[in-house]
Amino acid sequence: MKNYYLSIGGKKVRVEMNWNAMMTFCEEKGIDDLSKLGEDGNVTPRDLLTIMYSAIKEGERMDGRTFELTKEGLSEIVRPSDITLFLKIYKEQCGGGDDVTGKVGVAKKKNVFQRLISRG
């Protein structure tokens, strides 16, 4: 499995969009029913920041480090180019649109994670 990294504020940080990161995002958003995930069809800038923060915290944990920045601290130093690269990594790690059976292009309502992939 390939590891993915971003340079944030001059520091190389690992990005890992795994189940731990997804659970952290859901907890931050107060989502306890996965069927409600992204139900309104909107992904706000704050949602994207929370997803990015969760994935970086998890990646750093997996590399044996602690990500010291708060979400607000991350937001202060992240640039649009960082977001673009993050979305590419996100898309790669989340499968880019295949459903769980491996079929590509299955029509279904997109949740917040799938909408981010399609925008990446």
Side-chain angles (χ1 to χ4, degrees):
M1 180 156 108
K2 181 179 177 182
N3 294 338
Y4 294 86
Y5 293 87
L6 289 174
S7 178
I8 301 292
K11 182 180 176 192
K12 182 178 167 182
V13 294
R14 182 170 169 185
V15 176
E16 192 62 46
M17 196 61 221
N18 62 16
W19 194 246
N20 284 336
M22 288 184 181
M23 287 188 307
T24 299
F25 170 77
C26 289
E27 287 170 3
E28 285 268 334
K29 295 291 295 174
I31 298 168
D32 59 3
D33 178 355
L34 291 179
S35 69
K36 305 289 186 201
L37 193 61
E39 174 173 77
D40 62 2
N42 295 321
V43 178
T44 68
R46 187 154 305 276
D47 290 342
L48 183 54
L49 175 65
T50 302
I51 292 167
M52 184 178 190
Y53 182 76
S54 299
I56 292 171
K57 279 195 68 101
E58 178 61 11
E60 288 295 275
R61 183 197 67 79
M62 290 181 72
D63 270 1
R65 294 183 296 272
T66 301
F67 187 59
E68 299 294 336
L69 289 176
T70 63
K71 276 194 310 185
E72 290 73 26
L74 175 62
S75 183
E76 288 173 0
I77 61 175
V78 75
R79 301 289 178 249
S81 60
D82 300 324
I83 298 293
T84 300
L85 184 53
F86 170 73
L87 287 172
K88 288 178 183 177
I89 293 169
Y90 179 97
K91 183 176 181 177
E92 180 73 24
Q93 290 184 344
C94 291
D98 293 356
D99 77 350
V100 293
T101 64
K103 296 178 184 172
V104 178
V106 174
K108 58 185 172 184
K109 181 178 175 184
K110 291 183 178 181
N111 67 33
V112 65
F113 299 111
Q114 293 165 322
R115 281 194 309 282
L116 283 173
I117 288 170
S118 66
R119 292 179 185 171

